[in-house]
Amino acid sequence: MSFDKLIGLSMLAVATAVFTYYTTWVFVLPFVDESNILQSFFLSRDYAIKLPFLLLLIAALGIGSFVGNVLIKNAEKEKLKKSKKTQ
């Protein structure tokens, strides 16, 4: 198995585990008794909304920073091209 396939398989496994954990946390735990041992493996349900929102905010900030950085670098390249043409 190539290294790329191994990385892809591990990413798929992590995504599946996170999806299963979150789905159980949000859709199953409200129907499980509070004294059940299963409740100890999960955070409180308040975080079920707060964590995805925080991750979405961080992702949006990261994408915005990346796009801004690319736009600034492209503007600098264009500025250098124009200054070389005028010389």
Side-chain angles (χ1 to χ4, degrees):
M1 183 180 288
S2 70
F3 187 65
D4 293 344
K5 288 183 180 180
L6 186 62
I7 290 176
L9 184 63
S10 63
M11 289 171 64
L12 181 64
V14 168
T16 302
V18 168
F19 176 78
T20 304
Y21 180 87
Y22 188 77
T23 303
T24 304
W25 185 22
V26 172
F27 295 118
V28 175
L29 281 186
F31 302 107
V32 176
D33 189 30
E34 292 288 329
S35 62
N36 194 326
I37 190 71
L38 188 63
Q39 294 280 355
S40 65
F41 294 108
F42 297 91
L43 295 171
S44 74
R45 284 190 288 263
D46 294 340
Y47 292 110
I49 299 298
K50 292 177 185 176
L51 286 177
F53 179 74
L54 180 65
L55 291 174
L56 183 65
L57 182 65
I58 290 170
L61 288 173
I63 291 169
S65 298
F66 175 75
V67 169
N69 192 17
V70 168
L71 289 174
I72 290 171
K73 286 184 179 182
N74 283 342
E76 289 174 356
K77 285 180 184 178
E78 289 295 321
K79 188 177 179 183
L80 284 174
K81 281 184 182 178
K82 287 182 182 180
S83 67
K84 286 182 181 180
K85 283 184 180 179
T86 58
Q87 290 178 355

